Amino acid sequence: MGSARSRSRRPWGLVLMGGGARGLAHIGVLHALDDHGLAPDVIAGTSMGALVGAFYAAGMTPREIESLTADFRYNSVIDRRLLSRRPQSMRRFFEGLMLGTRADRLLRSLGIDREDRVEAVLGRIVGGLRIEDLPIPFACNAVDIVTGREVVFTSGPLRNALRATMAFPLVFEPARRQGRLLVDGGLLDNVPVEAARGLGARKVVVPDTHKSLREIPASSIRNVFQLLARTSTIVLTRATESQLERADLVYRIEVDVATFDFSQTRAIIAKGRKATEGNIAAIRRLVSG
């Protein structure tokens, strides 16, 4: 499984951002890079970017990763039993993890289940793979909400790292590790450039999928919850934009969909591929110079 991976003369890293459904554009990024023989030497990611990047780093081809997203059903009702049995396909895995966002699932997920069902599914998918044994060096991050510090995973069981980096607050419970409570790494660093450099990347490329901040009518903020949501959006967006400055090459992928809108998966992947194709010359110059 996987394609032949050419190596550049100077190690370079690909950093894949989070963003839920927007992160599926990274599959298109990998398609284009593979088409041009530009597989990265290291990969770092957070949240959805970490999931896509981890599967690729483990040897899965972009086509195989894309097949996991086939037949997504937007806003489908997720049967809780899906997370307690072996999934028939990786499509079921993605569907179970990323579409269970209805209000009833949100409320059920908060501190009620003692068993970590999500990690159990991840364990069935990636088995005992360890990060340090992946064909392509890989890192992902999470945030310890007890200390407020970033945690970067570069070794250890892959399933544990992925469970932590994808723990989006209010959707999944925090991952528990040695007294720590770990949540989505994108909350603190949605562009883990330094993690890629720590793996030896001399140059870092970032496909930018973050949703730009737009002015909204004051009348749309009618309660405290909406006020808090808008405040967090502003803080996270500005933080992401400042983090992008650390990369050597950033190119924009316009994906104007909500975080959990998985109704346009093919179009999102196609946008990632097209944007990367348009920047292949710049990427090649950067990594071969």
Side-chain angles (χ1 to χ4, degrees), residues 207-227:
D208 177 13
T209 59
H210 88 282
K211 193 171 184 179
S212 299
L213 191 66
R214 296 179 178 175
E215 183 175 340
I216 61 174
S219 58
S220 67
I221 303 177
R222 298 183 295 274
N223 55 51
V224 173
F225 179 80
Q226 291 170 332
L227 176 62

Side-chain angles (χ1 to χ4, degrees), residues 14-274:
L14 179 68
V15 172
L16 303 179
M17 305 167 64
R22 294 189 298 278
L24 294 178
H26 299 317
I27 302 174
V29 170
L30 295 172
H31 268 301
L33 292 176
D34 260 22
D35 288 346
H36 292 271
L38 287 170
D41 296 295
V42 305
I43 298 175
T46 191
S47 198
M48 178 61 89
L51 285 173
V52 173
F55 290 131
Y56 185 79
M60 191 174 289
T61 67
R63 184 177 297 278
E64 289 168 333
I65 300 172
E66 181 173 358
S67 71
L68 312 184
T69 70
D71 301 324
F72 270 160
R73 296 191 298 276
Y74 175 56
N75 208 29
S76 62
V77 179
I78 301 303
D79 185 342
R80 283 169 60 80
R81 291 173 298 177
L82 176 66
L83 297 182
S84 64
R85 64 175 184 265
R86 184 180 182 87
Q88 296 176 1
S89 69
M90 289 293 292
R91 176 191 64 77
R92 283 183 175 273
F93 164 68
F94 263 83
E95 187 175 73
L97 294 187
M98 301 309 299
L99 295 185
T101 58
R102 293 166 61 93
D104 55 348
R105 171 135 178 92
L106 288 176
L107 294 176
R108 275 204 308 264
S109 297
L110 298 181
I112 297 177
D113 291 342
R114 297 180 64 86
E115 178 187 4
D116 194 328
R117 298 172 184 270
V118 176
E119 185 166 325
V121 173
L122 286 166
R124 296 186 186 105
I125 300 305
V126 302
L129 276 177
R130 296 183 66 84
I131 298 173
E132 62 267 33
D133 296 330
L134 298 179
I136 297 179
F138 172 78
C140 64
N141 65 345
V143 177
D144 182 353
I145 60 174
V146 175
T147 65
R149 295 177 180 174
E150 181 181 22
V151 177
V152 178
F153 294 92
T154 57
S155 64
L158 180 60
R159 66 180 182 272
N160 291 356
L162 294 181
R163 172 63 179 89
T165 194
M166 61 171 282
F168 193 88
L170 300 183
V171 177
F172 301 112
E173 289 188 41
R176 293 170 170 80
R177 293 288 174 274
Q178 299 176 337
R180 298 182 298 185
L181 295 177
L182 304 176
V183 297
D184 192 320
L187 297 178
L188 196 59
D189 188 356
N190 199 34
V191 194
V193 170
E194 297 310 315
R197 297 199 192 279
L199 292 175
R202 298 285 298 280
K203 298 290 184 180
V204 174
V205 176
V206 178
D208 177 13
T209 59
H210 88 282
K211 193 171 184 179
S212 299
L213 191 66
R214 296 179 178 175
E215 183 175 340
I216 61 174
S219 58
S220 67
I221 303 177
R222 298 183 295 274
N223 55 51
V224 173
F225 179 80
Q226 291 170 332
L227 176 62
L228 290 174
R230 178 61 175 175
T231 301
S232 64
T233 297
I234 293 171
V235 172
L236 293 175
T237 301
R238 296 307 186 209
T240 295
E241 291 170 350
S242 66
Q243 291 158 2
L244 287 169
E245 298 174 0
R246 301 175 298 182
D248 298 289
L249 174 64
V250 178
Y251 64 92
R252 181 72 176 156
I253 303 175
E254 293 293 343
V255 186
D256 189 17
V257 298
T259 301
F260 296 108
D261 181 358
F262 286 84
S263 63
Q264 306 174 53
T265 58
R266 290 184 179 179
I268 294 170
I269 293 169
K271 287 183 177 182
R273 190 169 193 165
K274 182 177 180 180

Side-chain angles (χ1 to χ4, degrees), residues 272-287:
R273 190 169 193 165
K274 182 177 180 180
T276 305
E277 288 282 356
N279 285 276
I280 283 295
I283 295 171
R284 193 182 298 279
R285 284 194 301 270
L286 179 76
V287 304

